[in-house]
Amino acid sequence: MTKNKKTSKKKKNIKNDSFILAMLLSTVSILAVALKDYSFHLGDLQITFAVFAIPIILFISNYITKKYGFKTSLQAILVSSLIIVAFIILIKDLVNQRIILLEVVGHFVSYFVSLFINLSIYYYILINFRENQFLIYFDYMFSIVIHHMLYLLFLYRMVITDHFWNHYFGMIAIEGIFAIVLVMIDKKIERGIKKEKTR
């Protein structure tokens, strides 16, 4: 009887922890959307502050995957994707702006698809390659590139300005440097899905 109580209490704690992390993922994702309107200058380039939020979003997603597994991470990504859509619609309504379907779909698709790709590759690496840091870094960079390409396709409608490519590769370079630090932190996180490999 005592053993069953301890097991159920442990499961409850795990669910609570994963829910908190899902809310954290949603919060940082909303912050990323908000930061797209604010920028800083790096030489001749104008870079949005969202450049720092996107690698953190990937990191939180990877943390959830590492601690709680694929299914829990996928649920967190789906919840945060829907929260982003709700946030965009709410803000548009509050400022009396017209809701553009393509913009809403663009945010959802670029966010969900890039995070799902990141999740799938990261989980595969954890199970098959013993947390290889080079492969995890590649996963970060590939997911970042996919995110920007989908964002370009839906939200910019492939409109390319004079300094577009400088801006594009500048953002990826900054995110790539930031991702190195996150991969190093990722290595120190205790893995919670070890048993899944042996089952």
Side-chain angles (χ1 to χ4, degrees):
M1 190 77 175
T2 312
K3 191 176 179 182
N4 290 337
K5 282 184 179 179
K6 284 182 179 178
T7 307
S8 62
K9 191 175 180 182
K10 190 176 179 183
K11 284 182 180 178
K12 192 176 180 182
N13 287 336
I14 288 173
K15 285 182 181 178
N16 288 342
D17 289 344
S18 61
F19 176 76
I20 290 167
L21 288 168
M23 290 303 100
L24 176 62
L25 183 63
S26 302
T27 304
V28 178
S29 302
I30 289 171
L31 182 64
V33 173
L35 287 175
K36 287 184 185 296
D37 295 329
Y38 300 93
S39 58
F40 64 95
H41 288 277
L42 188 66
D44 295 331
L45 299 178
Q46 189 174 357
I47 308 291
T48 68
F49 281 101
V51 74
F52 300 109
I54 294 168
I56 293 175
I57 290 168
L58 293 172
F59 175 78
I60 296 170
S61 171
N62 289 347
Y63 181 87
I64 297 170
T65 307
K66 195 170 189 179
K67 297 295 285 186
Y68 303 108
F70 186 93
K71 185 179 177 181
T72 305
S73 185
L74 182 59
Q75 289 171 347
I77 290 168
L78 183 58
V79 167
S80 58
S81 300
L82 295 174
I83 287 175
I84 284 176
V85 170
F87 174 76
I88 293 168
I89 293 171
L90 177 64
I91 292 300
K92 292 281 185 183
D93 185 56
L94 287 173
V95 297
N96 293 320
Q97 288 185 1
R98 188 166 61 92
I99 297 169
I100 303 169
L101 182 61
L102 190 63
E103 181 182 349
V104 176
V105 172
H107 276 289
F108 179 84
V109 171
S110 62
Y111 178 84
F112 182 80
V113 171
S114 60
L115 276 185
F116 180 75
I117 289 170
N118 172 72
L119 163 64
S120 302
I121 297 172
Y122 184 78
Y123 186 76
Y124 185 82
I125 292 168
L126 287 183
I127 298 301
N128 296 286
F129 293 100
R130 297 182 181 179
E131 305 170 46
N132 184 291
Q133 284 186 286
F134 174 77
L135 291 176
I136 290 173
Y137 181 74
F138 170 80
D139 177 34
Y140 269 93
M141 294 310 300
F142 184 68
S143 302
I144 286 168
V145 169
I146 292 295
H147 176 270
H148 285 300
M149 289 305 294
L150 289 170
Y151 195 83
L152 167 65
L153 179 64
F154 281 93
L155 298 175
Y156 283 94
R157 301 179 192 179
M158 299 303 289
V159 175
I160 298 175
T161 58
D162 293 339
H163 300 287
F164 172 80
W165 289 113
N166 290 338
H167 178 262
Y168 179 81
F169 288 114
M171 286 187 70
I172 289 177
I174 293 169
E175 289 167 332
I177 293 167
F178 195 21
I180 293 171
V181 178
L182 296 176
V183 169
M184 291 170 68
I185 297 171
D186 183 283
K187 185 182 178 182
K188 297 179 181 180
I189 297 170
E190 185 181 347
R191 188 170 165 185
I193 60 168
K194 286 180 181 177
K195 292 180 182 178
E196 291 184 14
K197 187 176 179 182
T198 55
R199 283 178 184 176

